[in-house]
Amino acid sequence: MEKKQTINFGAGPAKLPQSVLLQAQKELLDYNGSGVSVLEMSHRSSDFTKIMNTTENLLRELLSIPDNYKVMFFQGGGTGQFSAVPLNLIGLKEDRCADYLVTGTWSSNAAKEAEKYGKVNVVHPKLDTYTKIPDPSSWSLTPGSSYVYYCCNETVHGVEYNFIPETHGAVLVSDMSSNFLSRPVDVSKFGLIFAGAQKNVGCAGVAVVIVREDLIDHALTECPIVLNYQVQAQNNSLYNTPACFSIYIMSLVLEWIKNNGGVDAMETLNKKKSSMIYDIINSSNHFYTCPVDVACRSRMNVPFRVGKKQGDETLEKEFLDGASKLGMISLKGHRSVGGIRASLYNAVTVEDAQALANYMKEFLKEHQ
Ligand SMILES: *Cc1c(COP(=O)(O)O)cnc(C)c1O
């Protein structure tokens, strides 16, 4: 019997390009004639050094990262950086305070973690629901704060910034875990960008940190050594054993992005895929509803409800069951918001998005 094709709309860990998986499979037992697997290779071997250098160079090329920025690889995922950012940066100014924009689960978690290490100011009126970005005219940044922090794409709520916050000179820090390399970004506007790999650039186990050089020697004394930016920078991310295999997978994904036209091409495709889904939501006469403000709807994670505004749970279950029968998996919304969430990361193809769009149209016709 022919195996039905699976389309993975998971929010993370998420779909990887088929060609990346095939290459990893091909090289699994014997990497590049070395006689060993990347899984069992010394992180100080020449083969692994080349993998690290290739990964860094591809990141620099794809994002045009200026020379005065370090590119580093950390364990501990995106959440590890919720701690690393304040541990390394909150001491930049003597007040030890930081400004946070709290627009969803992930920035909220980051702000909570930062409170352990200094004073945290949320710069806008608190949001009742995470469905919009407060208008910049309502923000009040704190003079003397060490940095301004925001999450560029709120994976759970589907809220994405399509502008770079103006900080009037303050150091800008962004969590780009779920839209990293989905579109171009002017790195020079940031003090620091970080991204866990398992959403858009690889598998779990590694987070990329891109940080301006002058910011890295201000760590608090209690900063764990594995999270210390200066220590990892001086050691080319090899102070201790890095997540070797995850970095290797990232290198394959980055090559795949490059061979497919780079971040500009990714952006074009991501616009196209997300429009396909939002267009159906918008024209469904409120059968499908997306609670997020039109101005900040995410291209990466599309949350929506089925049947009525608060969601008809019976219909939503039927929607998910029907999708699953067609091979479309991991469409269930985050447990904190319910409903449906379609994640449309780089590796999700236009055909994949089309399959979902077609199913949504059919489901609408049957139930309206
Ligand atoms: C998934 C995610 C995280 C957390 O990543 P972990 O690797 O699970 O710690 C942080 N921020 C954003 C935006 C995410 O999508």
Side-chain angles (χ1 to χ4, degrees):
M1 202 175 81
E2 200 183 328
K3 190 178 176 299
K4 109 187 139 194
Q5 202 202 341
T6 299
I7 307 177
N8 183 0
F9 289 104
K15 183 178 175 181
L16 286 165
Q18 181 80 7
S19 63
V20 165
L21 292 175
L22 287 169
Q23 192 172 343
Q25 180 186 48
K26 195 173 108 207
E27 295 177 335
L28 184 67
L29 299 186
D30 179 3
Y31 177 75
N32 194 27
S34 64
V36 293
S37 172
V38 177
L39 287 164
E40 54 187 354
M41 179 181 279
S42 164
H43 57 296
R44 308 203 185 273
S45 64
S46 66
D47 276 315
F48 190 71
T49 306
K50 264 188 235 145
I51 291 172
M52 287 279 275
N53 291 341
T54 303
T55 313
E56 175 173 345
N57 290 337
L58 282 165
L59 282 166
R60 287 189 179 278
E61 186 183 336
L62 289 168
L63 286 177
S64 306
I65 300 174
D67 288 341
N68 62 326
Y69 283 74
K70 294 281 185 199
V71 175
M72 296 185 279
F73 305 99
F74 286 80
Q75 300 201 38
T79 307
Q81 294 306 311
F82 296 172
S83 320
V85 165
L87 281 161
N88 284 277
L89 302 185
I90 210 160
L92 277 172
K93 300 258 176 79
E94 57 185 271
D95 289 354
R96 277 206 192 183
C97 80
D99 282 346
Y100 276 71
L101 288 152
V102 177
T103 51
T105 299
W106 293 117
S107 52
S108 168
N109 289 355
K112 260 184 239 139
E113 182 64 17
E115 280 171 6
K116 295 180 185 167
Y117 307 109
K119 189 168 161 16
V120 166
N121 303 305
V122 177
V123 306
H124 52 81
K126 196 173 177 305
L127 298 171
D128 304 325
T129 56
Y130 294 132
T131 52
K132 62 177 182 187
I133 294 168
D135 192 278
S137 66
S138 72
W139 304 356
S140 55
L141 303 183
T142 317
S145 83
S146 293
Y147 60 89
V148 178
Y149 180 106
Y150 76 109
C151 175
C152 196
N153 183 64
E154 292 282 3
T155 322
V156 172
H157 295 88
V159 172
E160 183 171 18
Y161 288 71
N162 53 26
F163 63 97
I164 297 178
E166 174 55 64
T167 64
H168 307 286
V171 170
L172 183 62
V173 173
S174 187
D175 174 3
M176 295 194 183
S177 293
S178 52
N179 64 354
F180 193 56
L181 299 184
S182 70
R183 55 179 180 173
V185 55
D186 181 355
V187 175
S188 72
K189 296 271 195 300
F190 294 83
L192 184 146
I193 292 168
F194 71 85
Q198 73 273 23
K199 313 290 163 67
N200 219 10
V201 284
C203 63
V206 63
V208 179
V209 172
I210 301 168
V211 58
R212 217 174 63 215
E213 269 167 4
D214 59 292
L215 303 175
I216 62 175
D217 60 347
H218 299 82
L220 305 181
T221 46
E222 62 266 40
C223 179
I225 199 153
V226 292
L227 293 181
N228 187 301
Y229 294 152
Q230 192 177 33
V231 170
Q232 291 292 9
Q234 283 167 348
N235 290 280
N236 295 318
S237 307
L238 293 169
Y239 174 77
N240 67 324
T241 317
C244 301
F245 198 77
S246 304
I247 293 170
Y248 158 71
I249 295 292
M250 189 188 295
S251 75
L252 299 183
V253 173
L254 298 175
E255 248 158 50
W256 173 85
I257 293 175
K258 184 181 165 181
N259 293 337
N260 283 278
V263 288
D264 292 299
M266 293 299 128
E267 180 177 46
T268 305
L269 291 173
N270 290 327
K271 277 185 186 163
K272 186 169 173 181
K273 291 180 293 180
S274 54
S275 298
M276 286 161 110
I277 307 303
Y278 285 121
D279 285 350
I280 291 170
I281 293 171
N282 294 342
S283 61
S284 72
N285 202 14
H286 306 294
F287 180 74
Y288 298 118
T289 50
C290 172
V292 180
D293 248 23
V294 173
C296 57
R297 286 183 174 179
S298 169
R299 290 178 198 154
M300 297 281 97
N301 313 97
V302 182
F304 61 93
R305 305 298 312 228
V306 183
K308 57 179 196 214
K309 206 167 166 210
Q310 283 75 33
D312 175 328
E313 286 183 20
T314 312
L315 264 187
E316 288 175 340
K317 185 172 181 316
E318 196 183 327
F319 181 93
L320 291 170
D321 289 346
S324 162
K325 286 204 185 88
L326 294 169
M328 295 187 270
I329 63 161
S330 299
L331 280 165
K332 198 170 172 16
H334 190 270
R335 58 191 184 281
S336 65
V337 297
I340 316 294
R341 171 175 52 172
S343 296
L344 306 172
Y345 299 122
N346 288 349
V348 174
T349 63
V350 172
E351 292 72 33
D352 294 343
Q354 186 67 60
L356 176 60
N358 291 345
Y359 173 61
M360 287 173 72
K361 270 189 241 165
E362 280 300 310
F363 194 85
L364 170 66
K365 241 193 265 163
E366 278 166 33
H367 293 88
Q368 212 179 21

Short mmCIF file of all heavy atoms in Angstrom, two decimals, residues 56-89:
data_model
loop_
_atom_site.label_atom_id
_atom_site.label_comp_id
_atom_site.label_asym_id
_atom_site.label_seq_id
_atom_site.Cartn_x
_atom_site.Cartn_y
_atom_site.Cartn_z
N GLU A 56 28.57 29.37 10.25
CA GLU A 56 28.70 30.80 10.55
C GLU A 56 28.77 31.63 9.26
O GLU A 56 28.09 32.65 9.14
CB GLU A 56 29.96 31.06 11.40
CG GLU A 56 30.16 32.55 11.60
CD GLU A 56 31.28 32.93 12.57
OE1 GLU A 56 31.75 32.06 13.32
OE2 GLU A 56 31.67 34.12 12.55
N ASN A 57 29.57 31.16 8.30
CA ASN A 57 29.73 31.95 7.07
C ASN A 57 28.42 32.05 6.29
O ASN A 57 28.11 33.09 5.71
CB ASN A 57 30.83 31.36 6.19
CG ASN A 57 32.21 31.58 6.83
OD1 ASN A 57 32.38 32.49 7.64
ND2 ASN A 57 33.17 30.73 6.50
N LEU A 58 27.66 30.96 6.27
CA LEU A 58 26.37 31.00 5.57
C LEU A 58 25.41 31.98 6.26
O LEU A 58 24.70 32.74 5.58
CB LEU A 58 25.73 29.61 5.52
CG LEU A 58 26.32 28.66 4.46
CD1 LEU A 58 25.89 27.22 4.72
CD2 LEU A 58 25.89 29.08 3.04
N LEU A 59 25.42 31.99 7.58
CA LEU A 59 24.57 32.95 8.30
C LEU A 59 24.99 34.38 7.96
O LEU A 59 24.15 35.24 7.69
CB LEU A 59 24.67 32.73 9.81
CG LEU A 59 23.87 31.55 10.38
CD1 LEU A 59 24.32 31.23 11.80
CD2 LEU A 59 22.38 31.86 10.36
N ARG A 60 26.30 34.62 7.97
CA ARG A 60 26.81 35.96 7.65
C ARG A 60 26.40 36.38 6.25
O ARG A 60 26.00 37.53 6.01
CB ARG A 60 28.34 35.99 7.79
CG ARG A 60 28.79 35.96 9.24
CD ARG A 60 30.29 36.23 9.36
NE ARG A 60 30.69 36.21 10.75
CZ ARG A 60 30.54 37.26 11.59
NH1 ARG A 60 30.06 38.40 11.16
NH2 ARG A 60 30.90 37.15 12.85
N GLU A 61 26.49 35.42 5.32
CA GLU A 61 26.16 35.73 3.93
C GLU A 61 24.65 35.97 3.76
O GLU A 61 24.23 36.97 3.16
CB GLU A 61 26.63 34.55 3.06
CG GLU A 61 26.49 34.77 1.58
CD GLU A 61 26.91 33.52 0.80
OE1 GLU A 61 27.70 32.69 1.33
OE2 GLU A 61 26.40 33.37 -0.33
N LEU A 62 23.85 35.07 4.30
CA LEU A 62 22.39 35.16 4.09
C LEU A 62 21.81 36.43 4.70
O LEU A 62 20.87 37.01 4.17
CB LEU A 62 21.69 33.93 4.69
CG LEU A 62 21.89 32.62 3.93
CD1 LEU A 62 21.40 31.44 4.76
CD2 LEU A 62 21.18 32.65 2.57
N LEU A 63 22.37 36.89 5.83
CA LEU A 63 21.82 38.06 6.51
C LEU A 63 22.71 39.29 6.36
O LEU A 63 22.43 40.32 6.99
CB LEU A 63 21.60 37.76 8.00
CG LEU A 63 20.41 36.86 8.35
CD1 LEU A 63 20.37 36.60 9.84
CD2 LEU A 63 19.09 37.49 7.88
N SER A 64 23.77 39.20 5.57
CA SER A 64 24.73 40.31 5.44
C SER A 64 25.11 40.85 6.82
O SER A 64 24.99 42.05 7.09
CB SER A 64 24.15 41.45 4.61
OG SER A 64 23.71 40.98 3.38
N ILE A 65 25.54 39.97 7.69
CA ILE A 65 25.87 40.38 9.07
C ILE A 65 27.15 41.20 9.05
O ILE A 65 28.18 40.76 8.53
CB ILE A 65 26.03 39.12 9.97
CG1 ILE A 65 24.73 38.32 9.99
CG2 ILE A 65 26.46 39.53 11.39
CD1 ILE A 65 24.82 36.99 10.74
N PRO A 66 27.11 42.42 9.61
CA PRO A 66 28.32 43.26 9.60
C PRO A 66 29.47 42.62 10.40
O PRO A 66 29.23 41.81 11.31
CB PRO A 66 27.86 44.55 10.30
CG PRO A 66 26.36 44.54 10.20
CD PRO A 66 25.95 43.11 10.21
N ASP A 67 30.69 43.00 10.05
CA ASP A 67 31.88 42.38 10.66
C ASP A 67 31.99 42.62 12.16
O ASP A 67 32.65 41.86 12.86
CB ASP A 67 33.15 42.93 10.00
CG ASP A 67 33.31 42.40 8.58
OD1 ASP A 67 32.67 41.38 8.26
OD2 ASP A 67 34.07 43.02 7.80
N ASN A 68 31.38 43.69 12.65
CA ASN A 68 31.50 43.95 14.09
C ASN A 68 30.45 43.20 14.92
O ASN A 68 30.15 43.58 16.05
CB ASN A 68 31.45 45.45 14.39
CG ASN A 68 30.13 46.07 13.99
OD1 ASN A 68 29.51 45.68 13.01
ND2 ASN A 68 29.69 47.05 14.76
N TYR A 69 29.89 42.14 14.33
CA TYR A 69 28.97 41.28 15.08
C TYR A 69 29.56 39.88 15.22
O TYR A 69 30.16 39.36 14.26
CB TYR A 69 27.61 41.17 14.37
CG TYR A 69 26.75 42.39 14.54
CD1 TYR A 69 27.04 43.58 13.86
CD2 TYR A 69 25.65 42.37 15.39
CE1 TYR A 69 26.27 44.71 14.03
CE2 TYR A 69 24.87 43.50 15.56
CZ TYR A 69 25.18 44.67 14.88
OH TYR A 69 24.40 45.79 15.05
N LYS A 70 29.40 39.29 16.38
CA LYS A 70 29.77 37.90 16.61
C LYS A 70 28.58 37.01 16.30
O LYS A 70 27.43 37.40 16.56
CB LYS A 70 30.16 37.67 18.08
CG LYS A 70 31.42 38.41 18.50
CD LYS A 70 32.66 37.67 18.03
CE LYS A 70 33.92 38.35 18.55
NZ LYS A 70 35.10 37.94 17.77
N VAL A 71 28.86 35.83 15.77
CA VAL A 71 27.82 34.83 15.56
C VAL A 71 28.18 33.63 16.42
O VAL A 71 29.29 33.10 16.30
CB VAL A 71 27.75 34.40 14.07
CG1 VAL A 71 26.74 33.27 13.88
CG2 VAL A 71 27.40 35.59 13.19
N MET A 72 27.28 33.25 17.32
CA MET A 72 27.61 32.17 18.26
C MET A 72 26.48 31.15 18.35
O MET A 72 25.35 31.42 17.99
CB MET A 72 27.86 32.77 19.65
CG MET A 72 29.06 33.70 19.67
SD MET A 72 29.40 34.29 21.33
CE MET A 72 28.21 35.60 21.47
N PHE A 73 26.86 29.97 18.86
CA PHE A 73 25.91 28.87 18.99
C PHE A 73 25.84 28.43 20.45
O PHE A 73 26.87 28.14 21.06
CB PHE A 73 26.33 27.70 18.10
CG PHE A 73 26.50 28.10 16.67
CD1 PHE A 73 27.76 28.38 16.15
CD2 PHE A 73 25.40 28.26 15.84
CE1 PHE A 73 27.93 28.79 14.83
CE2 PHE A 73 25.55 28.66 14.52
CZ PHE A 73 26.81 28.93 14.02
N PHE A 74 24.63 28.41 21.00
CA PHE A 74 24.43 28.05 22.41
C PHE A 74 23.47 26.88 22.54
O PHE A 74 22.56 26.72 21.73
CB PHE A 74 23.83 29.24 23.18
CG PHE A 74 24.81 30.35 23.44
CD1 PHE A 74 25.12 31.26 22.45
CD2 PHE A 74 25.44 30.47 24.67
CE1 PHE A 74 26.04 32.29 22.68
CE2 PHE A 74 26.35 31.49 24.92
CZ PHE A 74 26.66 32.40 23.92
N GLN A 75 23.67 26.10 23.59
CA GLN A 75 22.64 25.13 23.98
C GLN A 75 21.62 25.87 24.85
O GLN A 75 21.79 27.03 25.18
CB GLN A 75 23.29 23.97 24.71
CG GLN A 75 24.32 23.27 23.83
CD GLN A 75 24.64 21.86 24.26
OE1 GLN A 75 23.77 21.12 24.70
NE2 GLN A 75 25.90 21.48 24.13
N GLY A 76 20.56 25.19 25.22
CA GLY A 76 19.57 25.83 26.10
C GLY A 76 18.40 26.44 25.34
O GLY A 76 17.48 27.00 25.95
N GLY A 77 18.40 26.37 24.02
CA GLY A 77 17.26 26.81 23.23
C GLY A 77 16.97 28.30 23.33
O GLY A 77 17.79 29.08 23.84
N GLY A 78 15.79 28.67 22.84
CA GLY A 78 15.37 30.06 22.96
C GLY A 78 15.25 30.46 24.43
O GLY A 78 15.66 31.55 24.84
N THR A 79 14.72 29.55 25.23
CA THR A 79 14.51 29.84 26.65
C THR A 79 15.82 30.11 27.37
O THR A 79 15.88 30.94 28.28
CB THR A 79 13.74 28.67 27.31
OG1 THR A 79 12.56 28.41 26.55
CG2 THR A 79 13.36 28.99 28.74
N GLY A 80 16.87 29.42 26.97
CA GLY A 80 18.18 29.69 27.56
C GLY A 80 18.58 31.14 27.36
O GLY A 80 19.18 31.77 28.24
N GLN A 81 18.21 31.69 26.22
CA GLN A 81 18.54 33.09 25.93
C GLN A 81 17.67 34.07 26.72
O GLN A 81 18.07 35.22 26.91
CB GLN A 81 18.46 33.36 24.43
CG GLN A 81 19.52 32.61 23.62
CD GLN A 81 20.92 32.86 24.14
OE1 GLN A 81 21.32 34.01 24.35
NE2 GLN A 81 21.67 31.80 24.37
N PHE A 82 16.50 33.62 27.19
CA PHE A 82 15.70 34.51 28.06
C PHE A 82 16.52 34.86 29.31
O PHE A 82 16.37 35.94 29.88
CB PHE A 82 14.39 33.84 28.51
CG PHE A 82 13.42 33.54 27.40
CD1 PHE A 82 12.28 32.78 27.66
CD2 PHE A 82 13.61 34.02 26.11
CE1 PHE A 82 11.37 32.51 26.65
CE2 PHE A 82 12.71 33.74 25.10
CZ PHE A 82 11.58 32.98 25.37
N SER A 83 17.37 33.90 29.74
CA SER A 83 18.25 34.16 30.88
C SER A 83 19.55 34.81 30.43
O SER A 83 20.04 35.74 31.08
CB SER A 83 18.60 32.84 31.60
OG SER A 83 17.51 31.99 31.69
N ALA A 84 20.11 34.32 29.33
CA ALA A 84 21.42 34.81 28.89
C ALA A 84 21.39 36.30 28.57
O ALA A 84 22.34 37.03 28.87
CB ALA A 84 21.90 34.03 27.67
N VAL A 85 20.29 36.76 27.97
CA VAL A 85 20.22 38.18 27.58
C VAL A 85 20.37 39.09 28.79
O VAL A 85 21.28 39.92 28.83
CB VAL A 85 18.94 38.47 26.75
CG1 VAL A 85 18.66 39.96 26.67
CG2 VAL A 85 19.07 37.86 25.35
N PRO A 86 19.52 38.95 29.83
CA PRO A 86 19.75 39.82 30.99
C PRO A 86 21.07 39.55 31.70
O PRO A 86 21.72 40.50 32.16
CB PRO A 86 18.54 39.53 31.91
CG PRO A 86 17.97 38.24 31.43
CD PRO A 86 18.28 38.15 29.97
N LEU A 87 21.47 38.29 31.80
CA LEU A 87 22.73 37.99 32.50
C LEU A 87 23.92 38.68 31.84
O LEU A 87 24.88 39.06 32.50
CB LEU A 87 22.96 36.47 32.54
CG LEU A 87 22.16 35.72 33.62
CD1 LEU A 87 22.09 34.24 33.31
CD2 LEU A 87 22.78 35.97 35.00
N ASN A 88 23.85 38.84 30.52
CA ASN A 88 24.96 39.46 29.81
C ASN A 88 24.78 40.95 29.57
O ASN A 88 25.76 41.67 29.40
CB ASN A 88 25.17 38.78 28.45
CG ASN A 88 25.86 37.44 28.57
OD1 ASN A 88 27.08 37.37 28.66
ND2 ASN A 88 25.07 36.37 28.60
N LEU A 89 23.52 41.39 29.48
CA LEU A 89 23.31 42.77 29.01
C LEU A 89 22.68 43.73 30.02
O LEU A 89 22.77 44.94 29.84
CB LEU A 89 22.44 42.78 27.74
CG LEU A 89 22.94 41.99 26.52
CD1 LEU A 89 22.01 42.24 25.33
CD2 LEU A 89 24.37 42.37 26.15
#
